[in-house]
Every structure is written in C-alpha cells, then in structure tokens.
Amino acid sequence: MTGRIYLRAIVPIGFMFSLSLICGNLAYLYLSVAFIQMLKATTPVAVLFATWASGLKEPNLKTFLNVSAIVVGVIIASFGEIKFVLIGFMFQLGGIVFEATRLVMMERLLSGSDFKMDPLVSLYYFAPACAAMNGLAGLLIEVPKMHFTDIERVGVINFIANAMVAFLLNVSVVFLIGKTSSLVMTLCGVLKDVLLVIASMVIFGTPVTGLQFFGYSIALAGMVYYKLGADQIKGYFGQAARSWAEFGANRPATRKVVVFAAILVILLMLLGGFAPQYASDKIPFAKVKGILGGTVPGSVGG
C-alpha cells in the first residue's frame, strides 16, 4: 500500500473512528450508561441514511418505515430519561453519526475492486491512524488539564486492562463474524445492549423509568426486525418454540427454574424503573415531621 492510497483511503476512516471514540467517551461524562445504550440503538438508522447519501444503496420507503420504529422507541426513551443533559445527548449523536460514516467508508473500501482486505488486516491499517488522531486530540485537550495524581487515582493497571479489553473486543468481533455470521453478531449485539442496561441499573444504581423501558423495548424490537426481516424472525421463532418444547420435555425442572429467573429479572427491571420516579414524588421526611409536629433531625426543638 502506497502512501498516497493510505492518505486517501485509510486516514479518513481513522479520522472518523477517532471522532466517534472521542464523542462517545465524552458522552459518558454527562449521561448514564443505560441511556447511552438506548441511544446507540439508532446506529443502524444512521448507517442506513449514510449508505443512501453515499450512493451505496438506493433509498427505499419500505426500509425507511422499518427503521422508523427504532427512532420512535429512542424518542420515547429520551422523554423518559430522568437525568437528560443536552450536551451529552449531542456528543452521543455526534459519535453515532461519525461511526455510521466510518462503517460506510469501510464498506466502500473493502467491497471495492481495488482492495480485498481481511477485517483483521484492515484493523492493522486503521489502528495507527486512529491512535495518531486520538493522541493529537489528547495532547490538545486532555494533557494540559491532566496531573499525575489523576493517573494514580485511576491506576495504571486499570488503564492497561482497559486497553487490553478494547483490543480483545475488536479481535473477538472479527473472529466471531468469521466463525459464525453477521446474524449471530447482530443477536449478540442486542444481548450486549440489554445486559449493559441491566448492569448499569444493578451496579451503578442508574434510574430507568418505565417510559424508558417501554421505548427501549420498541427500539430493540425494531432493530431486530430491520436486521433480520419478517421471514427470518418467523423461522427462528418456530425453531425456538420447538427447541423450548423439547427442552421442557427432557428437563422440566430446569425449564421451571429458567422461567422463574426470567420473570424475576423482568420484575427487577420494572421495579428498578418505577422505584426512583415513585420515590421522588413522595413528601420528604423532614416535611412530614414538620407537619406532624415532630422534631426534624438536626434542629432544636422549641
């Protein structure tokens, strides 16, 4: 690969990759992990619009209507967000747009007649350009405000572990697609988003309202329908129903445990969503004590 081709084909992709990472990481300073995952459900919509704009695919009204459910679900989830911060929302939308542009540029590059590049080899070329862009942004924005105490507070081991997990994630995605298919990757991505929302609620105590839960469910259903299609979904549901019946016949006790665990998880998610909103509507303890004539803790009784 010549330097001219690298500058023309690889550097723009690395630039978009870097911008998506920067905007995506800045969003975590303002928004919760759960809400960010809900917003990321719009990535297929952004990729679709980017492919239309680049001319890779022709605009299609039926496809547009299919992805509209994702947009509607995310809008509902956004209205239900308790800690909505506009600048964080804009950062995340920017990250989604840059990521969609990067994916379309990669598709144009890898599917063209000039290059037939393995995904892992493409990562080998894109990574240095992305690292250079991130390093330059870090020097201009982060380094002037950074102190060594910040690194000590986070821990060098945490930095190294974070980098290793990110690297292994990219490698595992490549091998997953190579060993299975993009369909399995899609389903794993949906499962990952759901687990991240649940982990954010359990570990960080992130409040998720019932309206958000409803909107995110619509977005996930729309995303699965868009990526799989009605015929494939019907086939997989039929296959799943047969497998579930066979599993129940062979292991009835285990099936009952699985059903109980699934119901328990759904109840925890619903309670976790409604509890913060319900609690915030209650009268504060100090006000109740004052109404009843009791002594408020920390005050002197007259």
Side-chain angles (χ1 to χ4, degrees), residues 118-119 171-182 185:
D118 182 82
V171 174
S172 63
V173 167
V174 172
F175 282 102
L176 177 63
I177 297 176
K179 294 292 184 181
T180 57
S181 65
S182 58
M185 178 63 196

Side-chain angles (χ1 to χ4, degrees), residues 200-211:
S200 176
M201 295 170 60
V202 174
I203 298 175
F204 302 113
T206 303
V208 176
T209 64
L211 186 61

Side-chain angles (χ1 to χ4, degrees), residues 1 23 30 33 69 129-130 169 175 235 242 267 294-296:
M1 180 176 292
C23 291
Y30 303 96
V33 175
C130 181
L169 173 63
F175 282 102
R242 290 190 295 270
L267 288 176
T295 303
V296 178

Side-chain angles (χ1 to χ4, degrees), residues 103-302:
L103 292 174
V104 171
M105 293 172 68
M106 283 187 63
E107 182 179 354
R108 179 185 287 272
L109 177 67
L110 299 180
S111 62
S113 57
D114 296 335
F115 297 96
K116 290 296 180 182
M117 195 179 298
D118 182 82
L120 194 58
V121 176
S122 67
L123 186 64
Y124 167 80
Y125 284 110
F126 301 145
C130 181
M133 301 293 180
N134 287 344
L136 180 61
L139 288 175
L140 296 176
I141 301 174
E142 295 291 338
V143 173
K145 301 183 294 183
M146 186 180 296
H147 299 87
F148 190 74
T149 54
D150 297 329
I151 300 177
E152 288 183 339
R153 185 176 66 253
V154 176
V156 178
I157 297 178
N158 285 338
F159 277 116
I160 297 175
N162 194 359
M164 290 299 298
V165 168
F167 172 75
L168 292 175
L169 173 63
N170 285 288
V171 174
S172 63
V173 167
V174 172
F175 282 102
L176 177 63
I177 297 176
K179 294 292 184 181
T180 57
S181 65
S182 58
L183 169 63
V184 177
M185 178 63 196
T186 298
L187 297 177
C188 289
V190 173
L191 178 62
K192 179 206 70 175
D193 293 339
V194 174
L195 291 178
L196 278 173
V197 173
I198 296 174
S200 176
M201 295 170 60
V202 174
I203 298 175
F204 302 113
T206 303
V208 176
T209 64
L211 186 61
Q212 277 185 295
F213 183 81
F214 175 69
Y216 189 47
S217 301
I218 294 176
L220 284 180
M223 184 167 60
V224 172
Y225 182 83
Y226 165 67
K227 291 190 174 184
L228 300 183
D231 294 335
Q232 281 188 305
I233 290 176
K234 290 179 181 178
Y236 284 114
F237 266 114
Q239 183 178 354
R242 290 190 295 270
S243 300
W244 179 250
E246 183 179 352
F247 178 76
N250 296 332
R251 299 180 179 179
T254 308
R255 177 177 173 174
K256 292 180 181 178
V257 172
V258 172
V259 172
F260 177 77
I263 295 174
L264 183 62
V265 169
I266 294 174
L267 288 176
L268 288 176
M269 291 182 66
L270 291 174
L271 291 175
F274 286 114
Q277 187 176 14
Y278 179 77
S280 63
D281 295 335
K282 293 299 181 182
I283 301 175
F285 175 75
K287 188 174 181 180
V288 173
K289 294 290 288 185
I291 293 174
L292 297 178
T295 303
V296 178
S299 64
V300 179

